[in-house]
Amino acid sequence: MVEERKIYEEQGVEKYVEYQQANENVTLKPGPAFSFVKALEQVNARLRELYPNDEELFDIVLMTNNHAQVGVRLINSINHYGLLIERFCMTGGKSPVGYLKAYLTNLYLSADSEKVQEAIEAGIAAATLFTGNKKVPYDDKQLRVAFDGDAVLFSDESEIIVKEHGLDRFFEHEQINENKPLAQGPLKGFLEDLGRLQKKFYVKNERLDSPIRTYLVTARSAASSGARVLKTLRSWGVQIDEALFLAGAPKGPILAKIRPHIFFDDQMFHIEGARQLGTIAAHVPYGIGQKYHKSKLKESPATN
């Protein structure tokens, strides 16, 4: 809602609410999370077919600092696109982050980096969404989620060594600690949630046709630092469908091939490279990398 945001900033909240009410039958355009949410709902639909009495599904909640009177336009737009989002949290100008724990939130996505940082500091997995610079087709039958490793699935302990002592020391450290699992990062829990739902399809002999597929896309080298990553995932009891070790090569072309509905990374230059080729990218503001890579990229956040 870029135009609406401009009205809010230039004319104030009363004019903003007035505009929204006057346009409540005008459908809002899809945002960066739209394809991801559609894919989540596709997984839910398949789970309901296989487990009609099971309530273990993705629960999507619309968290917004919008005034309650704006809710009619949001509801109309959601119904227009056939989305099944029944739970809203509209906080009337206040940050919705304070409600995240009450909603048992496992993942919070926003175009507002300040709210995302607030959520991360509260111990909630969160990421700032950025649209791709061009439209790409997404698989409408399989949810595809791609993760960076360090400071996303894992802690930033190894990344600290790279930044402060260089690659040679990093390779030595990873080989010495190959059998010591990495500490968890902010997105570990979400990967576990995906894995738990994947297993429900495996039980029904749908491993090859699972509507969920996960990817690790890391700048690490396989031979020199990959074993610790794979052993860490094994120690967690988590399976990743595809692991791509790029040894410092750009991630954008690989992601363009995968076409994930969302890609999580802690470094903005990887986010920028991904979105240049059309990938919806989500920046996780966690770890030492935030001190070293200050991007000039600016994207007007949606009101959310």
Side-chain angles (χ1 to χ4, degrees), residues 61-298:
V61 182
L62 178 64
M63 310 289 292
T64 174
N65 60 3
N66 265 301
H67 192 283
Q69 292 301 319
V70 180
V72 174
R73 189 179 186 193
L74 293 172
I75 291 168
N76 287 343
S77 296
I78 284 170
N79 289 337
H80 171 82
Y81 293 113
L83 301 176
L84 298 174
I85 301 177
E86 299 291 354
R87 298 211 288 166
F88 280 28
C89 177
M90 294 177 283
T91 59
K94 302 291 185 181
S95 171
V97 172
Y99 287 94
L100 294 178
K101 289 187 177 180
Y103 277 90
L104 305 177
T105 303
N106 292 344
L107 176 65
Y108 173 64
L109 299 175
S110 175
D112 189 325
S113 61
E114 292 183 1
K115 292 190 183 74
V116 167
Q117 186 66 56
E118 187 182 347
I120 286 283
E121 291 172 359
I124 296 167
T128 307
L129 279 173
F130 292 90
T131 57
N133 285 353
K134 60 182 182 180
K135 291 185 177 181
V136 297
Y138 293 100
D139 192 301
D140 60 358
K141 296 188 180 300
Q142 184 180 66
L143 168 66
R144 297 178 182 177
V145 183
F147 300 89
D148 179 33
D150 296 294
V152 176
L153 291 179
F154 316 117
S155 74
D156 65 341
E157 64 169 271
S158 297
E159 207 162 79
I160 291 173
I161 294 174
V162 174
K163 303 300 184 187
E164 297 186 350
H165 302 288
L167 278 173
D168 290 341
R169 182 70 178 275
F170 163 72
F171 293 145
E172 178 184 350
H173 176 268
E174 292 305 286
Q175 290 168 2
I176 291 172
N177 292 281
E178 179 180 316
N179 294 312
K180 179 183 177 182
L182 290 154
Q184 71 179 52
L187 269 293
K188 179 203 174 191
F190 183 56
L191 177 61
E192 289 178 323
D193 292 336
L194 293 173
R196 187 167 56 254
L197 292 178
Q198 278 182 309
K199 289 176 181 178
K200 298 173 80 69
F201 294 104
Y202 299 166
V203 168
K204 298 292 187 178
N205 199 31
E206 292 196 8
R207 178 179 287 268
L208 296 180
D209 297 318
S210 172
I212 303 173
R213 193 162 185 84
T214 56
Y215 304 79
L216 172 67
V217 182
T218 173
R220 282 178 177 248
S221 302
S224 54
S225 59
R228 190 181 185 195
V229 164
L230 297 177
K231 289 184 177 181
T232 295
L233 292 171
R234 185 190 304 164
S235 74
W236 292 348
V238 173
Q239 296 183 26
I240 200 103
D241 293 303
E242 297 189 28
L244 298 102
F245 294 90
L246 303 186
K251 297 183 179 181
I254 293 294
L255 292 165
K257 174 65 176 177
I258 295 170
R259 286 183 296 161
H261 293 89
I262 194 167
F263 163 61
F264 296 97
D265 203 292
D266 67 303
Q267 309 220 31
M268 279 304 303
F269 68 90
H270 288 312
I271 297 294
E272 292 166 7
R275 66 192 299 262
Q276 283 175 7
L277 297 178
T279 298
I280 302 295
H283 178 240
V284 181
Y286 175 85
I288 194 171
Q290 309 315 303
K291 299 178 182 179
Y292 285 81
H293 295 283
K294 300 296 184 182
S295 173
K296 295 181 180 179
L297 176 66
K298 292 183 179 179

